[in-house]
């Protein structure tokens, strides 16, 4: 009896090679844009608050919050 | 010992942003008709001519120009279009192929003797191209996902508690609609601008210290300038190719993202 020829099932990656690089490149090119946006939105808000209240500490708080939120957003979209 | 060198060095002025300013082509020409504009048009004509000679009369067994054209087509299709557009890649190839070759040619003009100006070092050119891609991106997004759907998919990634959206939606909005098209254009512009400035600087050093003010001490610096000019020209050619590739890749990425919101 001849041995059966075993054809291995295609892995998910082999089946759709054309979308392989997409997520990685998406993430790689979106990260700087998200970080910059986070700093601008929340740092900008902090700047407004410091302008209104006179408490300068709001600027660094806003910038750090923005970076943190942007990093969290990248994790949500590409890291999960 | 360093005194003669210092004296010479004081006379040397490094080329600045003024090397990007060109007068109108001839006296009485409209003020916008400058060398970069002429080269932009020339580049577009060359791309049309190359595409015509390669694809107008295709043979089953490609020869000559068709061979080169098909190599370029395959490169853009396999490296740029398919990873981001999947089965829609072929439909977008005319845009992506012309975009890639136009930008590549515009960039390579930076190291072609006598031309020696990368067209994209004037921000208007990459800005128009990026604006074109931006309009296509938003049009496709609204067409394929609906007006509300497009902005909802963009700004509100699914499955998060509502208060989080207040924190994240402004970042998504700014990133996708303002920062992304801006960096798309600026990345190409800044690379070409800086690269051209570096080449101009090193060739000016070589020219100054070897021809204008040849001194025993300065000649070493002049030789270094010439060597660096040659090395940086090679490096520039690599950057010019890379930036044409990246600009087209990001265009494909934005178009793909509008067609299939899968995040």
């Amino acid at each position: 009896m001849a041995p059966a020829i075993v054809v291995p099932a295609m892995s998910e990656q082999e089946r759709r090679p054309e979308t392989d690089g997409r997520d990685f490149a998406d993430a790689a090119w979106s990260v700087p844009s998200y970080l910059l946006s986070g700093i601008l939105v929340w740092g900008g808000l902090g700047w407004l608050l410091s302008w209104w209240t006179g408490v300068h500490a709001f600027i660094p708080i806003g910038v750090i919050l923005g970076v943190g939120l942007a990093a969290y957003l990248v994790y949500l979209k590409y890291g999960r | 010992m360093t005194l003669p060198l210092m004296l010479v060095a004081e006379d040397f002025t490094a080329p600045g942003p003024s090397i990007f300013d060109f007068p109108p082509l001839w006296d009485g020409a409209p003020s916008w008709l400058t060398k970069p504009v002429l080269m932009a048009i020339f580049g577009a004509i060359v791309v049309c001519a190359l595409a015509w000679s390669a694809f107008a009369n295709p043979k089953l067994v490609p020869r000559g120009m068709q061979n080169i054209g098909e190599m370029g087509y395959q490169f853009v299709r396999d490296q740029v279009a398919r990873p981001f557009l999947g089965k829609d890649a072929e439909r977008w190839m005319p845009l992506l192929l012309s975009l890639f070759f136009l930008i590549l040619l515009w960039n390579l003009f930076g190291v072609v003797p006598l031309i020696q100006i990368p067209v994209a070092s004037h921000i208007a050119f990459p800005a128009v191209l990026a604006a074109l891609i931006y309009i296509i991106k938003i049009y496709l997004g609204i067409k394929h996902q609906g007006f509300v759907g497009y902005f909802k998919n963009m700004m509100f990634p699914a499955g998060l508690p509502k208060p989080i959206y207040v924190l994240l939606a402004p970042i998504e909005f700014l990133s996708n609609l303002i920062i992304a098209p801006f960096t798309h254009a600026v990345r190409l512009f800044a690379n070409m601008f800086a690269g051209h400035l570096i080449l101009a600087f090193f060739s000016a050093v070589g020219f100054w210290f070897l021809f204008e003010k040849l001194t025993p001490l300065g000649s070493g610096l002049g030789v270094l300038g010439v060597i660096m000019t040659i090395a940086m020209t090679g490096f520039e050619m690599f950057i010019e190719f890379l930036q044409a590739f990246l600009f087209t890749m990001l265009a494909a990425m934005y178009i793909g993202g509008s067609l299939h919101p899968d995040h």
Side-chain angles (χ1 to χ4, degrees):
Chain A
M1 192 177 155
I5 299 165
V6 180
V7 181
M10 278 173 114
S11 74
E12 184 62 23
Q13 281 209 332
E14 281 170 325
R15 213 175 300 141
R16 35 189 286 268
E18 66 270 4
T19 56
D20 242 11
R22 182 173 163 183
D23 276 354
F24 176 74
D26 254 16
W29 290 102
S30 304
V31 169
S33 177
Y34 279 132
L35 287 176
L36 200 58
S37 304
I39 291 170
L40 285 177
V41 170
W42 292 99
L45 223 61
W47 177 79
L48 277 180
L49 271 179
S50 78
W51 194 56
W52 284 330
T53 61
V55 182
H56 292 301
F58 279 124
I59 300 175
I61 290 173
V63 168
I64 291 166
L65 183 69
V67 172
L69 285 173
Y72 177 54
L73 187 57
V74 170
Y75 164 74
L76 285 179
K77 293 194 82 164
Y78 305 106
R80 277 195 301 189
Chain B
M1 270 307 276
T2 55
L3 198 60
L5 181 67
M6 294 277 289
L7 285 176
V8 172
E10 266 172 17
D11 291 335
F12 175 77
T13 46
S18 62
I19 61 167
F20 295 96
D21 297 336
F22 289 90
L25 285 174
W26 64 89
D27 277 342
S31 60
W32 53 265
L33 190 55
T34 57
K35 189 178 172 187
V37 174
L38 184 74
M39 285 305 127
I41 298 167
F42 176 62
I45 293 171
V46 170
V47 170
C48 292
L50 286 178
W52 193 274
S53 64
F55 301 125
N57 186 16
K59 303 275 192 299
L60 199 59
V61 182
R63 299 178 56 190
M65 274 311 293
Q66 196 188 343
N67 249 331
I68 299 170
E70 287 189 0
M71 271 170 62
Y73 185 94
Q74 272 184 354
F75 171 76
V76 176
R77 186 192 63 190
D78 295 345
Q79 304 298 320
V80 178
R82 282 194 175 160
F84 296 99
L85 296 167
K87 60 181 172 35
D88 297 315
E90 303 290 339
R91 278 185 58 211
W92 290 97
M93 277 306 291
L95 173 72
L96 296 175
L97 190 74
S98 0
L99 203 58
F100 175 74
F101 278 106
L102 182 66
I103 296 173
L104 182 63
L105 211 62
W106 277 2
N107 289 354
L108 285 175
F109 283 162
V111 294
V112 174
L114 298 180
I115 298 180
Q116 280 163 322
I117 175 78
V119 175
S121 64
H122 282 261
I123 194 164
F125 295 102
V128 168
L129 294 181
L132 173 77
I133 299 301
Y134 183 61
I135 292 168
I136 292 176
K137 167 175 108 163
I138 292 180
Y139 170 76
L140 285 175
I142 292 175
K143 188 182 164 196
H144 285 262
Q145 304 169 36
F147 187 81
V148 177
Y150 177 53
F151 287 96
K152 190 167 160 280
N153 287 337
M154 179 203 299
M155 290 165 63
F156 301 97
L160 289 177
K162 283 208 170 57
I164 299 289
Y165 289 131
V166 180
L167 300 171
L168 297 184
I171 300 179
E172 284 275 17
F173 182 84
L174 195 71
S175 171
N176 280 304
L177 291 180
I178 294 163
I179 304 284
F182 179 75
T183 52
H184 195 199
V186 167
R187 183 176 294 116
L188 175 59
F189 154 74
N191 272 284
M192 291 306 107
F193 184 89
H196 190 58
L197 210 53
I198 287 170
L199 281 186
F201 172 74
F202 283 118
S203 45
V205 167
F207 188 76
W208 182 269
F209 288 102
L210 290 182
F211 293 96
E212 295 271 316
K213 293 275 171 70
L214 184 59
T215 57
L217 274 173
S219 62
L221 211 53
V223 170
L224 186 69
V226 171
I227 291 171
M228 284 305 287
T229 305
I230 295 167
M232 293 312 286
T233 300
F235 184 63
E236 265 308 293
M237 287 164 80
F238 168 69
I239 297 291
E240 281 158 357
F241 172 81
L242 190 71
Q243 289 304 320
F245 172 72
L246 279 182
F247 194 95
T248 321
M249 193 200 87
L250 286 168
M253 192 176 111
Y254 295 148
I255 291 170
S258 285
L259 292 176
H260 314 287
D262 60 357
H263 294 300

